[in-house]
Amino acid sequence: SLKKFLKKKKIGTGRCIKMNIRKAGTEDISRIAEILVFTKRMNYRSIFRNDKFSFGNLQVLSAAREYINNPHLLDSIWVYDDEFVKGLIHIEGHCVKELYVDCFFEGQGIGGKLLEFAIENHAVTYLWVLKKNERAIAFYERHGFLCKGIWRYEDGTPEILLKMER
């Protein structure tokens, strides 16, 4: 329903603005898969330097099939929908597991809106980010997350993940 789709949020002036963030559904699977695959390629190819994975294993069809075969995976995903899905956030407990915005819509505040939604509606307090992903670290810092010296290796790689907390 339209009510469910358009959450409203009060802002300082007493006006309401539309929040186009909603729970992901099966109708979103193709866009979710597309955003995940292309955004991961754009952001991580230069870090992991593994074209076999980036262009072999990481495919839109296989990503979509994963959600089709396991629709419960959508339970922890929220999408930013403004005529069509432009970004997504995956939240588990108090952790942001993934936050991706279609590269065609970067710089429009979508990632910030998704992150603020997670903080305000899901009490998100932490996330993990690749140490080499300086752009993401700066983005999260602008939204109140800080590195506190906790780190781990990304599974199966020599790359370091930093824990960022609010």
Side-chain angles (χ1 to χ4, degrees):
S1 78
L2 187 60
K3 235 181 194 181
K4 196 173 182 182
F5 173 72
L6 298 176
K7 284 191 151 200
K8 294 192 184 249
K9 178 181 176 184
K10 290 274 186 192
I11 56 176
T13 60
R15 296 181 297 130
C16 285
I17 57 170
K18 291 179 187 175
M19 290 298 291
N20 300 336
I21 299 171
R22 62 173 173 79
K23 198 145 186 73
T26 55
E27 70 277 9
D28 303 313
I29 288 174
S30 63
R31 276 299 287 151
I32 289 170
E34 183 179 24
I35 291 168
L36 286 173
V37 168
F38 288 101
T39 307
K40 285 179 178 185
R41 283 178 182 162
M42 294 293 293
N43 291 309
Y44 302 143
R45 183 173 180 239
S46 64
I47 294 172
F48 291 105
R49 300 185 187 280
N50 185 342
D51 282 351
K52 184 176 180 184
F53 179 83
S54 292
F55 298 100
N57 300 47
L58 191 58
Q59 295 286 323
V60 174
L61 184 57
S62 57
R65 279 189 182 135
E66 182 70 19
Y67 290 104
I68 290 166
N69 295 334
N70 302 288
H72 68 278
L73 295 174
L74 297 171
D75 293 344
S76 57
I77 296 177
W78 297 80
V79 295
Y80 183 94
D81 185 335
D82 181 12
E83 295 185 71
F84 49 88
V85 174
K86 294 181 177 179
L88 65 99
I89 190 165
H90 174 180
I91 305 164
E92 289 184 10
H94 298 288
C95 179
V96 172
K97 297 297 254 183
E98 298 174 294
L99 172 59
Y100 295 107
V101 174
D102 187 310
C103 59
F104 289 100
F105 304 103
E106 286 180 0
Q108 296 180 11
I110 294 169
K113 289 175 186 171
L114 285 164
L115 190 55
E116 292 304 317
F117 169 84
I119 292 165
E120 292 173 15
N121 295 283
H122 297 275
V124 162
T125 58
Y126 72 99
L127 53 88
W128 292 88
V129 63
L130 285 163
K131 182 179 181 179
K132 290 181 180 175
N133 194 345
E134 295 171 3
R135 228 174 107 215
I137 292 170
F139 167 80
Y140 292 125
E141 286 175 341
R142 287 192 305 273
H143 290 277
F145 287 83
L146 300 172
C147 294
K148 304 246 177 134
I150 301 169
W151 63 276
R152 68 177 192 209
Y153 289 106
E154 172 68 22
D155 292 341
T157 77
E159 298 303 328
I160 294 173
L161 289 168
L162 301 174
K163 185 175 186 181
M164 297 187 76
E165 301 176 84
R166 283 185 55 77

